[in-house]
Amino acid sequence: MLAQVDPFYAISISRLAHELKAQGRSVIHMEFGQPSTGAPRAAIERAHEVLDIDPGGYWESVALKTRLAKHYLDSYGVKVEPEQFILMCGASPALTLALSSTFAAGDRIALARPGYVAYRNTLRALHLTPVEIPCGPESRFQLTAASIAALDPAPQGVIVASPANPTGTIIVPSELAAIAQVCRERNITIISDEIYHGLSYVGPARSMLEFEPNARIVNSFSKYFSMVGWRLGWLLVPMEHQPRARAFMGNLFLTAPTLSQHAGLVALDCRDELEGYVATYARNRQLLLEALPKLGLNSIAPPDGAFYIYANIGHLTDDSISFCQSLLRDTGVATAPGVDFDPVEGHRYMRFSFAVSTAEVEDAIERITPWFARQS
């Protein structure tokens, strides 16, 4: 039986953006959650050194796993063993590994709607059943312990994301603890996507590992560490689950890129430079929070973290794909249609990524202001 996997519509927006750019148009890319900065300087310098001395190969860096364990102790106060980390080619393979090695075909996995498009489609590709929980303004577009407790029957798993994509909302510690408690009581395995940790504007995000030691944690160097193209991430799993997860890893993915592991180890200690990137995102966020209400976009999800603003455009359109295409063609500003993240309500939403330079955000606001004025 073939799985039904829906398109990632933001990719089609990006394709159109690149076509326009090839025609000589000026384009501002706010459609993807992709930092416009590169890897930290010291990480790049280390990569240059390694290219001259290491031919590369199938390898997992013990030093990197040990440093990640220190990161969890320093950042979250959680002691984990280096062996619990499985280094991956980014968070997407880490999610695939977590799901495929934990659940059986047909298992039901709960997730928030709106949520990252690949959650739903990866579940379907693995012949798992997505159980989408509608999350609106009343719950800050996030899962709650009550919404998970209300599912009947209980799902086998749940995907939690905090900060979340597309909304940027963060689950407060008391709610994370309550979610962990409900999942323990109902025998629900937690997959926690923490790829946006480090990108918070309301205080540090807390790891689900602080509340549930048996959670599977997905993370990556792509967002906070600004290493998208290096394809390096990790899955953190309980020790007793290690043998099965590693068996899947070896057969499906082999290892993470050698060069990226060397660079990632250095990047973990480049905090001053990385915090400078976060300061830029914070400025960009504030610019958009001030500008969007003037465009009539008064209903947005609280952008606690990540680098997104998820805005309701229902007063202007019921077709977010066409709306984003028109915006791009007319202004050169590429954005993501909400239907990617919510197939039910997303036709009335759009997402702005502010992971670009401040100058680009200012330019984008200048371009789209008269355009939005013409739509109302």
Side-chain angles (χ1 to χ4, degrees):
M1 182 173 62
L2 294 178
Q4 177 60 46
V5 175
D6 294 330
F8 192 164
Y9 293 106
I11 293 177
S12 65
I13 295 289
S14 186
R15 187 179 302 116
L16 174 60
H18 284 286
E19 289 174 1
L20 294 175
K21 191 172 183 178
Q23 297 169 13
R25 292 280 303 278
S26 171
V27 172
I28 301 174
H29 289 280
M30 303 178 77
E31 74 272 32
F32 288 148
Q34 176 173 290
S36 58
T37 51
R41 183 178 302 277
I44 294 174
E45 291 174 353
R46 177 56 180 158
H48 281 294
E49 295 171 359
V50 170
L51 282 172
D52 291 330
I53 62 175
D54 188 346
Y58 300 134
W59 173 68
E60 190 177 44
S61 171
V62 174
L64 178 53
K65 293 190 295 181
T66 300
R67 180 63 184 82
L68 285 170
K70 182 179 185 300
H71 165 68
Y72 274 78
L73 184 61
D74 293 344
S75 299
Y76 308 113
V78 175
K79 188 178 187 306
V80 294
E81 299 299 324
E83 291 78 14
Q84 290 180 248
F85 292 93
I86 301 177
L87 302 177
M88 303 293 301
C89 305
S92 295
L95 175 67
T96 299
L97 178 62
L99 295 172
S100 62
S101 65
T102 304
F103 303 109
D107 279 355
R108 301 168 67 249
I109 313 299
L111 63 159
R113 176 173 59 77
Y116 179 45
V117 58
Y119 296 155
R120 181 174 66 250
N121 286 324
T122 300
L123 290 169
R124 288 174 175 168
L126 295 173
H127 296 284
L128 299 169
T129 303
V131 179
E132 294 190 297
I133 300 176
C135 300
E138 68 286 347
S139 67
R140 302 179 74 257
F141 296 89
Q142 272 286 10
L143 293 176
T144 64
S147 65
I148 297 171
L151 295 174
D152 185 23
Q156 283 71 38
V158 62
I159 298 174
V160 176
S162 175
N165 179 6
T167 60
T169 52
I170 290 177
I171 302 174
V172 299
S174 59
E175 193 65 38
L176 285 175
I179 289 172
Q181 180 64 29
V182 166
C183 289
R184 277 193 297 273
E185 293 171 353
R186 306 195 75 193
N187 197 31
I188 301 170
T189 299
I190 299 174
I191 310 293
S192 182
D193 183 355
E194 301 180 359
I195 191 172
Y196 295 104
H197 276 216
L199 303 175
S200 174
Y201 315 103
V202 295
R206 301 284 291 275
S207 175
M208 181 57 79
L209 210 59
E210 299 176 58
F211 309 97
E212 177 47 70
N214 289 316
R216 279 65 164 167
I217 309 297
V218 172
N219 209 326
S220 168
F221 283 83
S222 291
K223 308 300 184 181
Y224 175 78
F225 296 97
S226 195
M227 295 177 65
V228 175
W230 297 77
R231 309 313 306 138
L232 181 64
W234 66 87
L235 175 66
L236 179 54
V237 299
M239 286 297 290
E240 61 269 25
H241 191 71
Q242 268 280 322
R244 178 173 174 82
R246 287 202 169 277
F248 276 67
M249 168 63 181
N251 283 282
L252 294 176
F253 304 108
L254 290 176
T255 65
T258 300
L259 187 65
S260 300
Q261 293 181 63
H262 285 291
L265 178 59
V266 173
L268 281 161
D269 292 315
C270 294
R271 297 290 172 163
D272 289 345
E273 185 175 349
L274 296 168
E275 286 301 311
Y277 298 166
V278 178
T280 296
Y281 303 147
R283 288 194 295 273
N284 296 349
R285 169 182 177 270
Q286 190 58 40
L287 285 170
L288 285 170
L289 287 177
E290 293 171 359
L292 294 184
K294 298 175 184 177
L295 309 185
L297 304 185
N298 296 298
S299 178
I300 65 173
D304 303 326
F307 28 53
Y308 304 120
I309 289 185
Y310 194 61
N312 190 324
I313 51 173
H315 60 296
L316 300 174
T317 185
D318 60 0
D319 184 352
S320 59
I321 296 176
S322 295
F323 189 85
C324 289
Q325 289 173 338
S326 296
L327 177 65
L328 172 57
R329 288 193 177 97
D330 293 345
T331 70
V333 177
T335 56
V339 72
D340 261 339
F341 313 102
D342 184 343
V344 178
E345 301 291 340
H347 56 282
R348 299 187 298 110
Y349 284 83
M350 67 185 300
R351 189 196 72 179
F352 297 86
S353 169
F354 51 85
V356 293
S357 70
T358 299
E360 286 176 304
V361 170
E362 291 171 337
D363 188 4
I365 291 171
E366 185 175 343
R367 295 186 195 192
I368 68 177
T369 296
W371 189 89
F372 271 89
R374 293 195 296 271
Q375 310 310 307
S376 57

